[in-house]
Amino acid sequence: MTLPVGILLDLAGTFVFGISGAMLAVRRGLDVFGIAALAVAAALAGGMIRDMLLGAEPVAAFAQPLYLWAALAAAGLVFFAHRALERLANPVMLLDALGLGLFAVAGCRKALQFGLDPLPAILLGVLTAVGGGAVRDLLVTEVPRVLREEVYALAALVGAAIVVIGDRLSLPEIWVLPVGVLSAFLLRVLSVRRGWQAPKAPGSGSPD
Amino acid sequence: MTLPVGILLDLAGTFVFGISGAMLAVRRGLDVFGIAALAVAAALAGGMIRDMLLGAEPVAAFAQPLYLWAALAAAGLVFFAHRALERLANPVMLLDALGLGLFAVAGCRKALQFGLDPLPAILLGVLTAVGGGAVRDLLVTEVPRVLREEVYALAALVGAAIVVIGDRLSLPEIWVLPVGVLSAFLLRVLSVRRGWQAPKAPGSGSPD
Amino acid sequence: MTLPVGILLDLAGTFVFGISGAMLAVRRGLDVFGIAALAVAAALAGGMIRDMLLGAEPVAAFAQPLYLWAALAAAGLVFFAHRALERLANPVMLLDALGLGLFAVAGCRKALQFGLDPLPAILLGVLTAVGGGAVRDLLVTEVPRVLREEVYALAALVGAAIVVIGDRLSLPEIWVLPVGVLSAFLLRVLSVRRGWQAPKAPGSGSPD
């Protein structure tokens, strides 16, 4: 039975992305409903987009109430403890990186279960991973982090690609999934810490 | 036969949200197609999102042409009569509040019909209610009203929660639905008139 | 057998919209992943929205890997040849106009195949045509071109309406589809070259 692994990955990603959304809301001075809204958007939008694109409806975020509770729990935690969370080093970045890995792996895995080819499955993994954060940022009219920050989509892509390779080689999921999550997480965190940049088109303008 | 009630709620919400979208377009100086586009987006996006998340496709807004006509009628009315509409006190706010209540109730009701649990059904009602307005605002790159204004999502939540409670207690819809719509409408209007605010996280920044 | 025509229209639109997305990314100074992301968004979002609204899932962009390759090929071409492409007269505008016509026709045609009525089918054609560009622009927090520029949605609408009329009159697709694409393309290009404007609501403000 493979379902619980998918739900577990999803729930963990939901919680950490929920925290990232709620903390952005606190920083922007939004009220308790804005905090809940950004937590829910960041936590659930990626998976909702994934399920709508696959035709897996009603989407998991509604079919399984645990997701919603996880997002709201993240909002509640941030509401009361955001000052403590802020004191941790770049906590939003770290949680975002973890959610990125968890959702890339979960999204790609579900895409393979729905019979998608490797390339679309990897893209859907990336979309699941970056979708929630993109909706979160767009809701406060910021250019999504995935477009502003180097090696963000790449990290998700590596995590998803590991799932596809593991599936092709019939490797056991118990190893493949954690390796995929960790690879995406580490690549993302290292790229931030070291200031790695992806190449730009030769002769293109500077970011604005 | 319960279908007509759902369509009626949807059509009324569609028309009033269509007016709110068209009036925003006029205020931003958009042309006749921009007016139609924002009317359609404000009027139909919430229900489209609801139906895509539930798997009720083709979405009602396309399966039943009346919705589209209602949105276009709203755009036409605003195109010719926007100066008269503006003279009414805060007409966009009042219509928006009414659409909020209508869509929260209609969305939650449809979610229950699709077998969703109470909490997801309430969230889907809220999402139906705030989705069209959020898309409307995002299209002109404004932070959605649901994040900027206090007691907006809460009003939708109360309307949706009344539907869930009525469903649990098997109360007749002929009473439950209007009470849900009116509660959301009144809570929203009163909160604007009285300047009610939802609490912010202790020690959080001010809105920007 | 009618499927190949739909795929051909879609692939051509995908490639040219992909170029428009990638060139916007280059102009905004985004890195190679940002270029791929905007190419994929501009190329595939319109068709994804169409398929999610119709219930045609998994969406064509994932069920058929060719779409993704077309979008990525557009991104690769722009990455290496964007300076040559920029020297062509308004190349993004021309490609955008062509993609607009291709997607309006393809979207409307698919909507009719799913049994939609003429008016919803035309709207879905328009939405397919303007959806990718709208997502592309929103991702870099610009007001979508469809709202800023005159005779943009109208061009898509004319292309889609020709498909509906041809369908009603049972005219052969081999004539109707190219006429629809060309009409939308020419109307869009002429409106830009001649500075045609759609009427605004009497007494409305100026654009901002």
Side-chain angles (χ1 to χ4, degrees):
Chain A
M1 175 163 184
T2 55
L3 195 64
V5 178
I7 288 184
L8 218 76
L9 286 171
D10 264 2
L11 279 177
T14 299
F15 187 73
V16 296
F17 265 135
I19 288 181
S20 84
M23 292 194 75
L24 176 62
V26 168
R27 241 179 297 132
R28 297 290 293 255
L30 301 178
D31 66 23
V32 62
F33 294 106
I35 294 170
L38 280 201
V40 166
L44 303 182
M48 286 178 174
I49 292 170
R50 174 198 64 199
D51 291 345
M52 290 192 295
L53 291 169
L54 283 176
E57 293 130 346
V59 297
F62 287 135
Q64 166 56 274
L66 275 178
Y67 294 115
L68 208 41
W69 287 114
L72 294 176
L77 176 66
V78 169
F79 188 80
F80 292 110
H82 65 96
R83 279 170 298 192
L85 287 168
E86 287 284 7
R87 273 195 295 270
L88 304 170
N90 285 322
V92 174
M93 188 278 287
L94 288 171
L95 289 171
D96 199 85
L98 185 55
L100 191 74
L102 288 163
F103 275 3
V105 165
C108 182
R109 188 169 174 276
K110 190 161 187 174
L112 291 174
Q113 289 172 340
F114 271 73
L116 261 57
D117 279 356
L119 184 69
I122 289 173
L123 180 70
L124 194 56
V126 173
L127 205 52
T128 307
V130 307
V135 171
R136 173 197 66 199
D137 295 343
L138 288 174
L139 284 173
V140 292
T141 61
E142 290 182 4
V143 174
R145 180 172 299 187
V146 63
L147 293 179
R148 283 179 289 136
E149 300 206 10
E150 289 81 15
V151 198
Y152 191 85
L154 177 62
L157 196 150
V158 166
I162 287 171
V163 174
V164 163
I165 293 168
D167 178 71
R168 281 292 155 119
L169 303 179
S170 303
L171 299 177
E173 285 206 321
I174 192 82
W175 294 107
V176 170
L177 302 183
V179 168
V181 173
L182 272 175
S183 304
F185 174 77
L186 288 175
L187 179 54
R188 169 68 185 145
V189 171
L190 278 174
S191 77
V192 172
R193 295 248 191 274
R194 304 273 169 94
W196 288 342
Q197 301 203 346
K200 295 185 178 179
S204 69
S206 52
D208 46 354
Chain B
M1 174 162 184
T2 54
L3 196 62
V5 177
I7 288 184
L8 218 76
L9 286 171
D10 265 1
L11 279 177
T14 299
F15 187 72
V16 295
F17 264 134
I19 289 181
S20 84
M23 293 194 74
L24 177 62
V26 168
R27 241 179 297 133
R28 297 290 293 255
L30 300 179
D31 66 22
V32 62
F33 294 105
I35 294 169
L38 279 201
V40 167
L44 302 182
M48 286 179 174
I49 293 171
R50 174 199 64 199
D51 291 347
M52 289 192 295
L53 290 169
L54 282 176
E57 293 132 346
V59 298
F62 287 135
Q64 166 56 274
L66 276 178
Y67 294 116
L68 208 40
W69 286 114
L72 293 176
L77 177 66
V78 168
F79 187 80
F80 292 109
H82 66 97
R83 278 169 298 193
L85 288 167
E86 287 285 5
R87 273 195 295 271
L88 305 169
N90 284 323
V92 174
M93 187 278 286
L94 288 171
L95 288 170
D96 199 85
L98 184 56
L100 191 75
L102 287 163
F103 275 3
V105 165
C108 183
R109 188 169 173 277
K110 190 161 187 174
L112 291 174
Q113 289 173 340
F114 271 72
L116 261 56
D117 279 356
L119 185 68
I122 290 172
L123 180 70
L124 194 57
V126 173
L127 204 52
T128 308
V130 306
V135 171
R136 173 197 65 199
D137 296 343
L138 288 174
L139 283 173
V140 292
T141 61
E142 290 182 5
V143 174
R145 179 170 300 186
V146 62
L147 292 180
R148 283 180 289 136
E149 301 205 9
E150 288 81 13
V151 197
Y152 190 85
L154 176 63
L157 196 151
V158 166
I162 286 171
V163 174
V164 164
I165 293 168
D167 178 71
R168 280 294 156 116
L169 302 179
S170 302
L171 300 177
E173 285 205 321
I174 191 81
W175 294 108
V176 170
L177 302 183
V179 168
V181 173
L182 273 175
S183 304
F185 174 77
L186 288 175
L187 179 54
R188 169 69 185 143
V189 171
L190 278 174
S191 76
V192 172
R193 294 246 192 277
R194 304 272 168 94
W196 288 341
Q197 300 204 347
K200 295 187 178 179
S204 71
S206 52
D208 47 354
Chain C
M1 172 160 184
T2 55
L3 194 65
V5 177
I7 288 184
L8 219 76
L9 286 171
D10 264 2
L11 279 177
T14 298
F15 187 72
V16 296
F17 264 135
I19 289 181
S20 84
M23 293 194 73
L24 177 62
V26 169
R27 241 179 296 132
R28 296 290 293 255
L30 300 179
D31 66 22
V32 62
F33 294 105
I35 293 169
L38 280 200
V40 166
L44 303 182
M48 286 179 175
I49 292 170
R50 174 198 64 199
D51 291 346
M52 289 192 294
L53 290 169
L54 283 176
E57 293 131 346
V59 298
F62 287 136
Q64 166 57 272
L66 276 178
Y67 294 115
L68 209 41
W69 286 114
L72 294 176
L77 176 66
V78 168
F79 187 80
F80 292 109
H82 65 96
R83 279 168 299 191
L85 288 167
E86 287 284 6
R87 274 194 294 272
L88 305 169
N90 285 322
V92 173
M93 187 277 288
L94 287 171
L95 288 171
D96 198 85
L98 184 56
L100 191 75
L102 288 163
F103 275 3
V105 165
C108 183
R109 188 168 173 279
K110 190 161 186 174
L112 291 174
Q113 290 173 339
F114 271 73
L116 261 56
D117 279 357
L119 184 68
I122 290 172
L123 180 70
L124 194 56
V126 173
L127 204 52
T128 308
V130 307
V135 171
R136 172 198 65 200
D137 296 342
L138 288 174
L139 283 173
V140 292
T141 61
E142 291 183 5
V143 174
R145 178 172 300 186
V146 63
L147 293 180
R148 282 178 291 136
E149 301 206 7
E150 288 81 14
V151 197
Y152 191 85
L154 177 63
L157 196 152
V158 166
I162 286 171
V163 174
V164 163
I165 292 167
D167 178 71
R168 280 293 156 119
L169 302 178
S170 302
L171 300 177
E173 285 206 322
I174 192 82
W175 294 107
V176 170
L177 301 183
V179 168
V181 173
L182 272 176
S183 303
F185 174 77
L186 288 174
L187 178 54
R188 168 71 185 141
V189 171
L190 278 174
S191 76
V192 172
R193 294 247 192 276
R194 305 271 169 95
W196 289 342
Q197 300 204 345
K200 293 186 181 181
S204 71
S206 52
D208 47 353

